[in-house]
Amino acid sequence: MKNNKKTIYSALTVVTALLAQLPASAQESADSAMVNVAFKKAYQSDVLGGVSTVNVRELTEKNYNTYSLDNMQGYVSGYNGNGMWGYSNALVLIDGVPREASNVRPDEIEDISFLKGAQATVLYGSKAANGVVLITTKRGKVNDGLSVKVNANTGWNVAKAFPEYLGSAEYMSLYNEAFLNDGGDVNNLPYSAETIYNYASGKNPYRYPSVDFYSSDYIKKAFNRSEVSAEIEGGNQKARFYANVSYYRNGDNLNFGEAKKNYTDRFNVRGNVDFALSSTINAYVNANATFYGAKSANTNNSSYWEQARTFRPNRVAPLIPVEMIDPNAKSALTMIGATSNIIDGKYFLGGSSADLTNVFGDIYASGTNVYHSRQFQFDAGLNFDLSSVLKGLSFHTMVAIDYATAYTTSFNNSYATFQPTWANYNGKDVIVGLNNNGTVDKKSGAQNISGSTDNQTIAFNAHFDYNRTFNDVHNVSAMLVANGYQQSKSGEYHKVSNANLGLQFSYNYDHKYYADFALATPWSAKLPSAKRLGVSPSVTLGWRLSKEKFMENSFFDDLTLSASYTDMKTDLGIDDYYMYLGTYQSGGWWDWNGGSGHSAMQSKRGSNDELSYLHRKEISATVHAEVLNKALSFDASYFLSKWTNGILEARNQVPSYLFSYYPESSFVPYINFNEDKRSGFDFAVNYKKQFGDFGFGVGANVTYYTTEATKRDDSQYADTYQYRQGQPLDAIWGYECLGFFQDENDIKNSPTQIIGGTIRPGDLKYKDQNGDNVIDSKDQVYLGKGGWYGTPTTIGMNLTLKYKGFTLFMLGTGNFGAHAVKNSTYFWVGGDAKYTAEMRGRWTKETAATATFPRLTTEAGTNNYQTSDFWMYSTDRIDLQKVQLSYDFPKAMFMKSFVRGLQLFVNGNSLLTIAKERKLMEMDVNNSGSAPLNRFYSIGAKVSF
C-alpha cells in the first residue's frame, strides 16, 4: 500500500511539475486559456494587451492552407499581413528560435502569438523592435495509446488573369505611329504596309510570327499541387512525443519543353519529445529536417516571365517546321540534319542575328537545373523545479543549433538556332537557306554546381522564474533571463547577433489590479564600445473592472483596461557595422607644383563615438471585454509609437568644408537624427455560440495606423512643400499632372519642361509648383501613401457555421488607403519596347479628348515616364480569401474499426477580389518578371487512427 501511495504521489508530482514548467519548451498547457508570450506561458486573461493569439491546431480543422502565416490578418487585429502596428519585418521565432516562417507548415503548429506592442517584445532584445511572431509547434499529449492522423490534399492552381500584350501587326502599326510622332518621314516608315499585312494575315506564323507568351501553346490551364502528411503522437506521464512527416509537390504554369517537367517539392520530418528525468526535472528535444527541391529548365536569357514582358512578338519564331525547307535547299537540309535539337521530330529552333538564343530555345535545349535546400534544426531544453530551494522558483534553459545549406546542380547545354531565308514559289512560302549565326549544339554531359550557400543559427536562453500566490490574492511572478542568438550567412563577413539580459517583475492583486515591470539590456557590436550596452525599460498597469463590487451583476463578464510605456533600444536601422568609425582609402590623384600626379589617401567618412541606439518609445492602451456569458468578446488597442535616433549622414549638420566633390573626400560622420511617429488603433470582435446541433462563430477586426516623419533634415529643399518632415513614411513623391499638351501653342505657352526628351503634343504636362516657369525636380510634391508597411486600414472577417458533421468556413480581408504607381514595363514603354493593351488608349489628335495614355514615342519617353499622379491608382480592395466546406463522419461509424475519424473537405483559396483596379491587380503587371497569380481549388481528407 505504501508503495502504491508512493507511486501515485510520484506520478502526481511529475504531472504537476510538467504543467508548472514555463514554456521554453512550448509546453501544451492543460488549461486551454494559456497562451505563449515571451519565454513563458500565461493565462490569456492576465495578458495585458499588445498580444493576439491564433489557435492553429483548431484552425486547420476547418481551414486548409499551405503557409504558416496565410491570411492571418483575417483573424488578428493589429497585423496587416506585412507587419504589426505600422512596423514591418517582425522577428519570427519558431519554438523560441529565429527561423523562417516558411519552414514550418500549418499542420505542425499549435498556436501563433503576435507580440505587437513593445512591452510584449522587450525581453527579446534589440532585434525584436519591429514586433515578434511567436510560432509554437505541436507537442505530444498524454492519451490512450498512439494517435495517428493522415492528411491528404490535392488541388489545382488556375491563373487569375494574364497581361495583355499586342500582336505583331498591331505593334508594328503603333510603332510606325510613334515614329511619325517623333518627326519621322512618312515615306520611310520602319514597317511597310505590306509587312504589316503579312503579319496580320496569319498565313505563315513562322515567317511572320506573332508570339504570345501567354497562349495555350506555352501555358497550362491549371497545374497541380498535392500534399500528404502523417501526424503521430502519444505518451504517458514519463514521456510524450509528437512527429510529423510530410511531402508536397507543386507543378508549374509552363507547358512546353523541359519546363513541362518543372516542379518544386518538399519533404519534412519533425519530432518533438518531452520526458521527465525526475520529479523535479523535465526535458525536451525538438528536431526538424527539411529537404526542398525545385527543378526547372535553364533560362539563360532571364526568366520566362521576364521575357514575356519584354520580348517583342515579331522578333523570332521559336519553332519552325522542318518540312517548310525547300527540298532543293541541300545546304539547309544538311545543316538541319546535323542538329541534335529537332523538337517533336518536326521543328527546328528559330533565331536571328539579333537573337542568337532565346528563352524558348533555352527551355527546349539548354538543359535543366535543380535547386537543393537542406535545413536541419535542433533545439533542446531543461526545466528545473527549484521549489525545494525557494517555493515557486524554477529554472529553464534552451540551446538550439540550425544548419541550412543550398546549392544548384545543372546540365548546361548550348544549342544552335537557325535564321531562315524565305522565298515564295507559286504562292507558297518555303525556306531556301539557313544561317546558324555561329551557334552550335553542345552537350558536355558535365554536371555543374553553383550558388552554394550555408547558414547557421545558434540560439540560447536561460531564465529563472518565480511564481507565488500569497494569501490567495497576492500573485507575484518574476523572471531573470539571458537570451541571445547568432546567425552566420554565406558571403556575409559579420554575423547577425542579438544578445541581452532581461528582468521582468509582475504583480496582481486577486487578478484585479496589475503591475508589470520589464527591463532589457541589449548589446550591439554595431555601436562604439562605450555605447554598446543599452537599457530598455517597460511599465504596464492593468485594472479588471469586472471584479469590482460596483460591477457586480453588470452586463460585462469581463472588462479589463491596461496601459503601457516602453522605451526599447534597437540597432535595427543601423545598416552596417563600423558606421561610427572614420574611414580612409587610397584613390584619386594630386598634382604637386605642376608635376606628375601622386596617389592620394582620402578620408571617406568622419568618426562619431557618440553614435547610439535607435529608440522605439511607445505608449499603448488596451481594452478587453466579454459579455453574454463570454460568448461575445471585444479587444481594442491604441498605440502611439515614436522611433527616434534614426541614422543620418550629417552633410548639413557640419561645415561644408568637411566634404569636397573633387577629389571626392569627406569627414562627414553618421549621426543620430531622424525621428518617426506611428499611431493608430486595432479592434477585434468575436462571437461563438452553440444552438443545439447548430454552431455559429464569427470574427471581425480592423486596424488603422498613420505614420509621420516627425524630424528630417530638409535643408536641401528650397520649398516647404517638398519637406519630408511632417509627411508619411511611405510617401509617394512626384509631379502633379495637368493632362496632355494639346498642340504646339500649348507647349509654347506652358512652363519649360526640362525633365528629359523633346516635348510634343500628347506628352504629359506638369504643374509648376514654385512658379519659376521651369518643370524640374523642384516641382515634385507629395502624392499619397504607398502602403510600404501595409495599407493604412486593414480589415479581416471570418465566419464558421456548423451543423452536425458539416462545417462551412469563410475568410475575407480588406485593404484600404494606399496607392501604387504604374511604373513597370507594362506601362512605361519607351524606345522599341513591347506594347500592351494600355497603348490602345494613347493620345492622338483624334483621341485628344478621350486619351488615357500619352503619345507613343520611339525615344526614351523620359518626360512622360515619371512618377506623377497620372500613373497613380488606389490599391483599395476586398478579397474573399477562403471558402471551405468540411464534413466529419460520425464517430459511431468507426466504433468497431481501427479508424477513429474521417473528414472530407473542399477548399477554394483567393477566390474573389472586389476593387476598382481589380483587373490590374489580378494581372499583377506591376510586379514585373513574376509568374501569374493563381486561385487554388483543392479537395482533401483527414483520417485519424
Side-chain angles (χ1 to χ4, degrees), residues 724-928:
R724 270 49 178 172
Q725 185 167 307
Q727 298 294 354
L729 301 179
D730 56 354
I732 299 174
W733 293 86
Y735 298 97
E736 184 179 346
C737 183
L738 302 178
F740 303 105
F741 285 110
Q742 297 300 313
D743 50 40
E744 292 296 339
N745 283 332
D746 192 4
I747 296 172
K748 182 179 179 181
N749 295 324
S750 299
T752 303
Q753 304 202 171
I754 62 171
I755 300 170
T758 302
I759 305 301
R760 290 188 170 92
D763 285 333
L764 297 183
K765 177 168 60 173
Y766 302 120
K767 183 177 180 179
D768 181 11
Q769 302 289 347
N770 60 359
D772 64 357
N773 210 35
V774 173
I775 304 298
D776 56 17
S777 61
K778 297 176 183 178
D779 296 297
Q780 293 182 357
V781 296
Y782 168 70
L783 299 177
K785 296 180 179 180
W788 302 332
Y789 309 101
T791 55
T793 303
T794 304
I795 62 173
M797 303 155 284
N798 62 85
L799 173 69
T800 304
L801 301 175
K802 291 189 175 183
Y803 180 72
K804 295 184 177 179
F806 289 96
T807 301
L808 175 65
F809 176 78
M810 302 177 70
L811 174 69
T813 61
N815 298 275
F816 306 94
H819 295 80
V821 179
K822 301 174 183 177
N823 56 7
S824 70
T825 57
Y826 194 79
F827 301 98
W828 291 5
V829 291
D832 60 353
K834 193 172 184 177
Y835 286 170
T836 73
E838 296 291 321
M839 275 82 265
R840 290 171 177 157
R842 70 208 178 278
W843 186 95
T844 66
K845 291 181 180 179
E846 295 72 26
T847 64
T850 59
T852 58
F853 196 87
R855 72 174 179 96
L856 298 179
T857 176
T858 60
E859 298 173 352
T862 305
N863 178 81
N864 296 332
Y865 303 139
Q866 299 286 325
T867 300
S868 72
D869 56 1
F870 178 85
W871 299 109
M872 285 182 62
Y873 65 97
S874 169
T875 58
D876 292 354
R877 61 190 296 165
I878 295 176
D879 291 278
L880 177 60
Q881 299 284 12
K882 290 287 183 68
V883 175
Q884 179 167 317
L885 179 64
S886 309
Y887 180 70
D888 291 277
F889 288 83
K891 294 187 181 296
M893 291 179 58
F894 312 108
M895 293 297 291
K896 296 183 180 181
S897 72
F898 65 94
V899 177
R900 295 184 181 181
L902 172 63
Q903 181 191 90
L904 301 179
F905 66 87
V906 293
N907 175 292
N909 182 29
S910 193
L911 296 173
L912 175 67
T913 298
I914 301 173
K916 181 179 180 181
E917 298 286 353
R918 177 192 61 81
K919 185 176 179 181
L920 173 63
M921 295 175 182
E922 291 190 342
M923 288 193 302
D924 199 29
V925 292
N926 251 14
N927 189 11
S928 182

Side-chain angles (χ1 to χ4, degrees), residues 277-564:
L277 299 177
S278 71
S279 61
T280 58
I281 304 174
N282 67 66
Y284 69 91
V285 175
N286 303 330
N288 179 69
T290 301
F291 303 86
Y292 177 89
K295 182 179 180 180
S296 61
N298 287 338
T299 51
N300 303 318
N301 296 272
S302 72
S303 78
Y304 181 84
W305 306 111
E306 290 171 338
Q307 289 288 296
R309 286 157 169 76
T310 58
F311 197 89
R312 295 190 309 277
N314 61 325
R315 280 173 61 167
V316 67
L319 299 179
I320 302 174
V322 174
E323 65 179 16
M324 298 194 77
I325 300 176
D326 188 334
N328 297 315
K330 303 299 183 182
S331 177
L333 291 172
T334 300
M335 190 176 291
I336 288 300
T339 184
S340 58
N341 291 308
I342 299 299
I343 309 303
D344 297 334
K346 53 183 178 180
Y347 298 102
F348 64 87
L349 298 174
S352 70
S353 57
D355 295 295
L356 301 180
T357 61
N358 57 72
V359 72
F360 298 98
D362 289 347
I363 290 175
Y364 278 114
S366 70
T368 59
N369 66 78
V370 180
Y371 173 76
H372 307 264
S373 172
R374 306 288 183 260
Q375 299 195 45
F376 302 96
Q377 301 171 346
F378 176 86
D379 52 283
L382 289 169
N383 302 300
F384 299 84
D385 183 353
L386 302 178
S387 295
S388 59
V389 178
L390 177 64
K391 187 176 180 180
L393 184 65
S394 60
F395 177 72
H396 313 268
T397 186
M398 180 274 289
V399 64
I401 301 177
D402 293 357
Y403 289 98
T405 62
Y407 61 94
T408 298
T409 57
S410 62
F411 291 94
N412 301 327
N413 305 324
S414 60
Y415 58 91
T417 59
F418 302 92
Q419 180 175 358
T421 300
W422 294 90
N424 188 282
Y425 296 151
N426 300 319
K428 180 181 179 181
D429 286 335
V430 294
I431 297 170
V432 295
L434 291 176
N435 185 355
N436 66 2
N437 293 300
T439 58
V440 295
D441 293 320
K442 184 178 180 181
K443 295 183 179 180
S444 69
Q447 187 179 61
N448 302 286
I449 299 178
S450 61
S452 180
T453 62
D454 59 272
N455 303 326
Q456 180 192 69
T457 297
I458 298 175
F460 166 82
N461 68 62
H463 49 101
F464 285 97
D465 291 0
Y466 178 74
N467 292 275
R468 284 286 300 276
T469 299
F470 299 91
N471 298 328
D472 296 326
V473 292
H474 300 286
N475 302 294
V476 178
S477 66
M479 178 189 297
L480 177 63
V481 59
N483 170 57
Y485 67 84
Q486 192 172 75
Q487 294 176 309
S488 59
K489 299 182 179 181
S490 294
E492 297 183 14
Y493 177 76
H494 280 283
K495 300 175 181 179
V496 176
S497 299
N498 184 76
N500 68 287
L501 296 175
L503 173 67
Q504 184 179 50
F505 177 81
S506 301
Y507 169 80
N508 76 72
Y509 174 79
D510 195 25
H511 302 282
K512 184 191 300 185
Y513 307 115
Y514 295 84
D516 182 278
F517 171 76
L519 185 71
T521 57
W523 186 92
S524 175
K526 290 185 174 182
L527 294 169
S529 56
K531 297 290 184 178
R532 289 178 179 174
L533 183 64
V535 178
S536 299
S538 178
V539 178
T540 303
L541 301 176
W543 180 20
R544 177 163 282 114
L545 284 80
S546 53
K547 296 196 73 172
E548 297 288 358
K549 288 186 177 181
F550 63 81
M551 293 289 288
E552 290 181 358
N553 302 317
S554 73
F555 176 69
F556 293 97
D557 302 311
D558 187 16
L559 179 60
T560 304
L561 307 178
S562 66
S564 299

